[in-house]
Amino acid sequence: MTIEPTLTDMNTIVSLAKRRGFVFPASEIYGGIGSSWDYGPLGVELKRNVRDAWWRAMVQERDDIVGLDSAIIQSPLVWEASGHVAGFTDPLIECRSCHRRYRADHIEKDLCPDCGEVGQFTEARQFNLMFKTFLGPVEEDAAVAFLRPETAQGIFTNFENVRTATRKKIPFGIAQTGKSFRNEITTGNFIFRTREFEQMEMEYFVRPEEGFASLEYWRTERMRWYTDLGINPDRLRFRQHDQDELAHYAAAVYDIEYLFPIGWSELEGIAYRGDFDLRQHQDSSGRKLEYFDDERQERFIPHVVEPASGVDRCLLAFLVDGYTEEEVNGESRTVLKLHRDLAPYKVAILPLSRNQKLVPKAREVYDIVRKRWMTDYDDSQSIGRRYRRQDEIGTPYCVTIDFQTVEEDDAVTVRDRDTMEQVRVPIAELGALLEDHLTG
Ligand code: ATP
C-alpha cells in the first residue's frame, strides 16, 4: 500500500463540498449572489464541531476565560468609539478601462486582474467596510445602525458587566463566537473571504506590563490548537505585521497563516491591542472601565491580547488539509482525514445488504450508537462504495452488520478510516470501543 498525500486545488474542494453537502452557493436557483454560501447537512456539523472545539479549548477547559454572546446590532456610538466609523476602511481603486473595483493592497504592478490593462487605476479612496442599516421604520440619519464588523467590541462594552458578575481577577478573558459582516471590496476564493462570516474571538485582559508576554503565550497556544486538530505544521506559519501595516488599535500583531490553495494566507490574527479599546469606551461613554487590583492597591485600564479566528476560514483549512487522494492496492481512494472531533459523522452503520434479517439488527445498532454520536446509516449499493463514500466525508468508523452477526456471534466489524483495518467486536462492547477510539 502506498500513500501519497497530494496538495489540493480549490476547485476540487469546492466541488466535493457541493457534491457531498458541505457548502452550497447561496441563492443558487436564482443564479447565485457572489460570495454568499450556505452550509449543507455535513457543513453545518463540521462548522459546529469547529466552533465547539474552539469553545472547549478557550472556555470549557480553562479557569480564566468565560463566554459571552453579545448582539450584532449595537449602539452606533460603539463603532464611533472603537474607531470603526472613521477608520475601518480599505483603499478602493477602480480600473478606468473595465470599471472593476479592487482593494488597492491586493493589486500588483498596477495591473488590472480582469482586463489586463496596466496603469489605468484611479486614485485610492477610503471605503468603509461596515454594513449600514436603519433601525425601525425611518430611513434617516438618526436611525442609522451598523452590523458589527467584529465581535470584539461587544466584549469590551461588557467588560465591567462580566467582571462584576463573575468576580474574575486579572488576568482573565472573555470569549465569543458569532456572525460578523464586512462589505468587502473583493470577495472570493470560496468561503475564504465573504461579506457575512463567523468569528471566534477572545479578549484576554492583563496588567499593562504583561502584554507582550501574554501575546507570546497566546501565539503558542493558538498554533497548538491547529496542530492538535491535525493540521500539518508544515502548512502553518506565523507572520508578524510590519509597523506600517498595523491596524489603528494594535501595538503588535502576528497572523497565523495557512498554505491555502491560493498561497499563504491569514487564518487567525493575534493582536496586542494595548488599552486602546477600553480607554476609548471609557472616554466616550463616561463610564469607568478601570480595574482595581486589591492586592497591590492599584487602579489601571487593563491591556488586551486578542486571538481572532474565523469559523469559515478554519473550516476551509480543515477541508484542504484533510483532503487526501491515496493509492490502495492499485485503486485510488479519496479520504477526508478530519480529526475525529471535527468529523461530521463519527460513525456509519452499514448493513451488508438490505436483507430482511440484517436491517432490523442494523437499525438496532444504529439506535444505540446515534444516542451518543452523530451517526449515518447507509444501506444502498455495494459495501465497497459505501466505505468510499464515508471516507470521502471523513467518517472515522464504519460498523458493518453481516450474516455472521445475526446468525452466529452478535458481533460487528469496525473499520478504521485511515488504516482501513477491521476488527470484530461483540455488539455489547461496541459502545466502549467507540468511546475509547473517539474520545480516549
Ligand atoms: P484581511 O486582512 O484578510 O481582510 P483582517 O486582518 O481584517 O483580514 P481580522 O479583523 O483579523 O481580519 O479578523 C479575524 C479573523 O476573522 C480572520 O483571521 C479571518 O479568519 C476572519 N475573517 C475576517 N474577515 C473575513 C472575511 N471577509 N471572510 C471570512 N473570514 C474573515
Side-chain angles (χ1 to χ4, degrees), residues 103 182 184 191-194 197 199 266-269 308-310 313:
R103 219 171 106 170
R182 296 182 187 177
E184 301 274 3
I191 51 172
F192 180 84
R193 188 182 300 284
T194 50
F197 55 96
Q199 290 191 301
E266 175 179 337
L267 188 53
E268 164 159 353
S309 184
R313 241 180 236 188

Side-chain angles (χ1 to χ4, degrees), residues 231-252:
I231 297 236
N232 180 348
D234 295 340
R235 296 191 199 149
L236 287 167
R237 71 176 189 195
F238 286 112
R239 188 182 71 82
Q240 184 171 14
H241 285 207
D242 294 333
Q243 212 56 35
D244 59 358
E245 128 190 55
L246 287 176
H248 62 275
Y249 52 75

